[in-house]
Amino acid sequence: MTRTAMLAVIVLLLAPGPGAAQTGVKSPKPSNLLADYSAAVEDLARSASPAVVQILVQTLAPLGKGDSQRMGFVSEQEATGSGVIVDSAGYIVTNAHVVQNARRIDVNILRSHENGQEPHGHLVPAKLVGLDRQVDIAVVKIEGPDLPALSFLDSDNLRQGQFVLALGSPLGLQNSL
């Protein structure tokens, strides 16, 4: 329903006025609202993306759930998740389920060079600072100079109808929006 309503708004913003084709009169220029909104989202993604990280975890997990021949055996498994740097000292907030029981945690951060190259991934080891399984939140820490950080805002100030965007690196994707 929301997609249909959004599509209708977009069509209304871009559609020519009534009778424009029949009378040969040019309709006024389409509204720049959509282009302005798109540019604002691009700017937000560009400024926030450096603080969004991908977390790579290695764990040991039991083999053969319900398979009596494999009971007691474990294998090394890898998983990924998203996180966000919340302090330039390298503190990262992620989900507890991403890092619980981790034997090794690495963080893939985007770094760009001074020569104008596109940002590329840089793997940094991390250590678990703490986690709360009930709330499903964890903090890990990495070391590095001048780390980009995003700050928390007060979600109580949000109002119904406001747009909220989510940035992350789910399922191995790099900085999705």
Side-chain angles (χ1 to χ4, degrees):
M1 181 65 177
T2 304
R3 288 183 181 170
T4 305
M6 185 63 116
L7 183 59
V9 170
I10 292 170
V11 170
L12 287 174
L13 289 173
L14 300 177
Q22 298 157 345
T23 62
V25 176
K26 284 188 175 181
S27 63
K29 257 190 165 176
S31 171
N32 287 331
L33 290 176
L34 191 57
D36 292 344
Y37 173 72
S38 180
V41 170
E42 280 183 61
D43 290 344
L44 176 64
R46 191 177 305 110
S47 66
S49 286
V52 177
V53 298
Q54 184 179 44
I55 299 179
L56 303 124
V57 178
Q58 293 178 348
T59 62
L60 287 179
L63 279 177
K65 295 179 182 169
D67 182 359
S68 62
Q69 291 181 339
R70 294 179 144 191
M71 285 298 240
F73 290 99
V74 294
S75 72
E76 191 167 289
Q77 296 188 358
E78 295 180 350
T80 63
S82 291
V84 62
I85 303 171
V86 295
D87 185 283
S88 61
Y91 290 96
I92 298 169
V93 173
T94 187
N95 294 105
H97 71 266
V98 170
V99 295
Q100 71 185 11
N101 303 323
R103 289 174 37 110
R104 179 179 174 91
I105 303 171
D106 290 306
V107 174
N108 191 12
I109 60 174
L110 288 180
R111 289 282 176 155
S112 55
H113 296 287
E114 294 80 33
N115 60 5
Q117 253 184 339
E118 281 293 314
H120 65 281
H122 182 73
L123 214 54
V124 178
K127 66 178 181 178
L128 180 63
V129 174
L131 64 87
D132 183 334
R133 287 187 177 115
Q134 280 190 314
V135 183
D136 194 27
I137 196 164
V139 176
V140 297
K141 185 169 186 326
I142 60 173
E143 300 295 329
D146 301 321
L147 294 168
L150 295 176
S151 59
F152 287 102
L153 297 176
D154 186 354
S155 62
D156 289 339
N157 292 331
L158 289 174
R159 295 182 319 275
Q160 186 176 10
Q162 282 186 302
F163 284 104
V164 177
L165 301 173
L167 283 94
S169 294
L171 307 173
L173 297 172
Q174 192 70 30
N175 282 356
S176 66
L177 173 73

